[in-house]
Amino acid sequence: MKYQAENAVSSFFYYMWNAWSKEECKVVFGDMYRHFWDKWSVSADNAIFGAAERFFAGLSENYQKLLVERAVTLYDGRAFRKEPDDSDILVCKECGSRQLEIQVWINANTDERISYVYEDNDGHWCDGKWCEECVDQTFFCTKAEFTQKMQSWWESCGLESKEQITGLKVCDCPPAESPQTFVDAAGRWWNSRDYEYKREIYNKHTSNNE
């Protein structure tokens, strides 16, 4: 991402003050997050004021870049940026979680990422790809693809399943209009839910997410 130096500095500090957390550390540093979270904890334990500067100074240039890239992805100075498009976000193909890890080779002296442990295999196997929520190796897909998968599942659900999920009842609709009135109401209920809520319902009501 291209950005102006002054804006990047502002974005970085605003990010560290308002968004930095263990979860963000996972997003930025992947399977190395525990190492970097320990480094952050040491910086913050010394004194919270100046912790961001000390933490940044202790990173290699490559990891400094990763941290700044994340900051300017989320913030434009002191303002939130628009969320990345769902087609650019990777999730677990099985459960839809964004808590993903991938194995990489790291330079032991500089902490610089060199390459993935497993080269691209055209999606034939999932070695080196891990979902924290599934606690298993997995394939990745985009959030947009998983959202469509959940939508297709919802549309395939029968009336009884939709009654169970939504709490709405076909019998509550006018006899002359049901079940279409119920289907429309259930559809509005489903569409009003966010991604994480839909994902929870989907995973609860499907077997092996198929």
Side-chain angles (χ1 to χ4, degrees):
M1 175 181 290
K2 294 182 179 180
Y3 47 84
Q4 295 179 338
E6 290 183 3
N7 192 58
V9 171
S10 179
S11 299
F12 169 74
F13 283 111
Y14 209 67
Y15 168 73
M16 296 301 292
W17 295 333
N18 293 279
W20 183 244
S21 64
K22 196 170 187 177
E23 288 303 311
E24 277 297 307
C25 192
K26 287 184 182 181
V27 173
V28 175
F29 299 116
D31 58 0
M32 291 286 291
Y33 82 91
R34 293 179 182 86
H35 166 69
F36 289 105
W37 186 251
D38 287 343
K39 291 185 69 169
W40 163 256
S41 297
V42 170
S43 297
D45 287 344
N46 289 335
I48 193 61
F49 293 107
E53 293 94 323
R54 291 192 297 274
F55 178 63
F56 184 83
L59 300 176
S60 68
E61 184 177 345
N62 182 62
Y63 285 112
Q64 287 178 346
K65 182 178 179 181
L66 288 178
L67 188 59
V68 172
E69 287 284 358
R70 177 61 176 170
V72 298
T73 295
L74 294 183
Y75 289 95
D76 182 5
R78 295 190 175 188
F80 268 118
R81 289 189 188 276
K82 182 181 177 181
E83 279 290 308
D85 189 84
D86 286 355
S87 61
D88 295 326
I89 299 173
L90 292 177
V91 300
C92 172
K93 192 173 182 179
E94 294 299 318
C95 74
S97 171
R98 294 176 61 170
Q99 298 303 317
L100 306 177
E101 299 177 3
I102 190 166
Q103 289 182 319
V104 296
W105 290 110
I106 301 291
N107 185 301
N109 292 308
T110 66
D111 288 337
E112 181 179 0
R113 184 173 65 185
I114 300 172
S115 66
Y116 295 119
V117 173
Y118 297 93
E119 297 298 329
D120 183 25
N121 52 64
D122 296 323
H124 293 145
W125 63 84
C126 57
D127 290 346
K129 297 178 180 179
W130 183 265
C131 173
E132 280 287 306
E133 192 165 312
C134 293
V135 195
D136 199 1
Q137 293 191 101
T138 186
F139 289 103
F140 297 166
C141 68
T142 67
K143 184 181 177 183
E145 290 171 332
F146 196 84
T147 298
Q148 182 56 52
K149 182 179 180 180
M150 292 191 295
Q151 184 64 31
S152 297
W153 165 79
W154 171 256
E155 292 172 357
S156 72
C157 287
L159 297 180
E160 185 176 345
S161 294
K162 289 182 177 178
E163 283 185 324
Q164 179 185 3
I165 293 169
T166 65
L168 303 174
K169 300 295 181 183
V170 175
C171 62
D172 292 336
C173 300
E177 300 177 7
S178 60
Q180 188 57 50
T181 300
F182 167 79
V183 171
D184 293 342
R188 289 191 295 272
W189 182 94
W190 172 259
N191 292 331
S192 69
R193 269 52 189 177
D194 63 18
Y195 175 81
E196 286 300 325
Y197 195 98
K198 289 179 179 178
R199 190 170 73 84
E200 181 180 352
I201 293 172
Y202 174 80
N203 289 328
K204 179 180 179 181
H205 289 86
T206 57
S207 175
N208 296 323
N209 297 334
E210 292 296 331

